[in-house]
Each structure stands twice: as structure tokens, then as C-alpha cells.
């Protein structure tokens, strides 16, 4: 018989367990000084279908040349795609970024408003990147559900959902607002290094006592 799920204890245990591992890319970039909302949004676009190990150096390569919408607009699409080399879909991401920079300059006088509706109205920006950028850069409560958050919370039995969008809706009703940003900060590395997609490390997992291990048939 499992004890009642205690989110505070679970997150505290995970905080300790992930300490030896690298931080999630956007939190890492924030600590490196790339902490504006625009930079965080651009890094999140770089991170789409791209490993953190690539997202971080590619972001730094781009920010060495352009850190603001105005600076980004001095690049043509082909130069920008070259700077994004190594990520998935560099050409598409270059067009997306130029479109975003253009709108920020034209509509918002170069300053991106820290607001979910505005961010998600930008072509190519979904709830995941909007919430993550707002959370990391602005400290605004928001849950960003990536593959790790979706997988881990379903394995716990904390949510029972098929799509990340559904997971987001359920988590918003169950997780206290002051822990929303921790969901990303903690579960991304936890899902990457401990509750891995295949063969999760259940035998040494610090939160196993609360976890229903839904769908886990084999583990380490
Ligand atoms: S017990 Fe296994 S499935 Fe559950 S959180 Fe830990 S690693 Fe993931």
C-alpha cells in the first residue's frame, strides 16, 4: 500500500537527487546571464527537438551575435540558419525567430511584453515555450510540459493523460502555483537522468514509495 502522494516531499527528494546532474538548458542559460525574456524565448525555440547539450552552445553562439530583436533582424535567414547549425529544423527556426523579432519591433517597440497571451500569439510559440520563458526570465508562475514532465507525472499516477496539453491542464489544477516553475526545473533533469524513457532507475529512485510506476514493465 502506497502512502498518499505528497508533492512537497517528492519534489524535495528530487531536488537532492538531481543535484549531481546538469541543469535543464534554459535554467543553465539563465545562470550564464542570458536572462531576458527574449533570450529565453529564443533558446526555447532552439531547444525544440534538440538536446540540451546542443541547445546551450547554439544559444551562446547566436547570442554572441544577436541578443535583442533589433540585433536579430540584422541577420538574414540564411546566416541565422547557419548560426543555428546542430539544432533540428534550423531553417524553419530561423524564419520563426525573424518573424518574432519583426513583430516585437513593429508592435511592441522592441520590448516583448511578459504576458502569456502575447507570447502565444507569436507564430511558432506554444504554451510550453511561453510558460517556460515567462517562468525562468520573469519568475511568472507557469508549468511547461515537455516529454519528461508528461512521462514522469503519468508514471507516478499523479495524472492520467495521453497528451502533454492535457497534462498541463491537470497539473494546473493540482500543483500549487508557487511550485509551478519547480515542475520544470526539477522534472526535466529527473526525467532525463533518473526516470528515463526506457529502463528508468526505479531500484534507486528516491520517490519510489509514492510512485505507481504506471506503464513501467522493465526498469534498472
Ligand atoms: S519509481 Fe521508477 S517510474 Fe517511478 S518516478 Fe522513480 S524512476 Fe520513475
Amino acid at each position: 500500500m502506497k502512502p498518499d502522494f505528497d508533492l512537497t516531499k517528492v519534489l524535495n527528494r528530487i531536488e537532492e537527487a538531481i543535484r549531481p546532474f546538469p541543469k535543464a538548458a534554459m535554467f543553465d542559460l539563465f545562470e550564464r546571464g542570458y536572462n531576458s525574456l527574449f533570450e529565453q524565448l529564443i533558446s526555447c525555440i532552439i531547444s525544440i527537438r534538440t538536446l540540451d547539450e546542443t541547445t546551450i552552445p547554439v544559444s551562446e553562439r547566436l547570442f554572441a551575435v544577436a541578443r535583442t530583436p533589433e540585433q536579430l533582424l540584422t541577420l538574414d535567414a540564411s546566416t541565422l540558419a547557419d548560426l543555428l547549425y546542430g539544432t533540428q529544423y534550423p531553417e524553419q527556426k530561423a524564419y520563426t525567430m525573424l518573424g518574432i523579432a519583426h513583430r516585437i519591433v513593429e508592435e511592441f517597440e522592441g520590448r516583448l511584453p511578459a504576458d502569456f497571451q502575447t507570447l502565444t500569439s507569436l507564430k511558432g510559440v506554444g504554451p510550453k515555450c511561453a510558460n517556460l520563458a515567462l517562468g525562468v526570465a520573469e519568475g511568472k508562475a507557469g508549468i511547461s510540459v515537455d516529454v519528461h514532465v508528461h512521462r514522469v507525472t503519468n508514471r507516478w499516477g499523479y495524472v492520467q493523460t495521453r497528451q502533454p496539453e492535457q497534462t498541463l491542464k491537470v497539473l494546473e489544477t493540482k500543483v500549487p502555483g508557487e511550485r509551478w516553475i519547480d515542475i520544470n526545473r526539477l522534472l526535466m533533469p529527473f526525467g532525463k537522468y533518473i526516470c528515463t524513457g526506457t529502463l528508468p532507475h526505479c531500484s534507486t529512485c528516491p520517490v519510489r514509495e509514492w510512485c505507481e510506476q504506471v506503464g513501467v514493465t522493465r526498469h534498472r
Side-chain angles (χ1 to χ4, degrees), residues 14 16-25 28 51-54 56 146-149 151-152 155 184-206 220:
I14 289 175
E16 281 304 311
I18 63 168
R19 218 175 280 283
F21 300 111
K23 292 184 171 63
D28 184 307
L51 293 174
D52 284 0
E53 292 80 352
T54 302
I56 293 169
D146 72 346
V147 287
H148 300 302
V149 173
R151 182 180 66 250
V152 169
R155 281 180 174 168
N184 310 118
R185 184 176 65 81
L186 301 176
L187 298 197
M188 287 176 185
F190 181 69
K192 186 170 177 185
Y193 297 106
I194 298 174
C195 189
T196 45
T198 52
L199 297 177
H201 295 257
C202 297
S203 58
T204 53
C205 177
R220 285 175 271 195

Side-chain angles (χ1 to χ4, degrees), residues 5 30 32 57 70 86 89 120-121 132 158 163 183 186 214-215:
F5 192 88
F30 181 88
R32 291 175 195 230
E70 291 85 353
Y89 319 121
T120 50
S121 77
L132 196 51
Y158 191 65
Q163 301 295 333
I183 293 291
L186 301 176
V214 175

Side-chain angles (χ1 to χ4, degrees), residues 41 99-100 103-104 107-108 112-113 115-127 130:
L41 191 63
I100 289 170
R103 259 197 78 193
I104 296 172
E107 283 184 39
F108 308 114
L112 183 56
D115 137 330
F116 180 82
Q117 301 302 335
T118 303
L119 262 59
T120 50
S121 77
L122 299 168
K123 194 159 183 284
V125 178

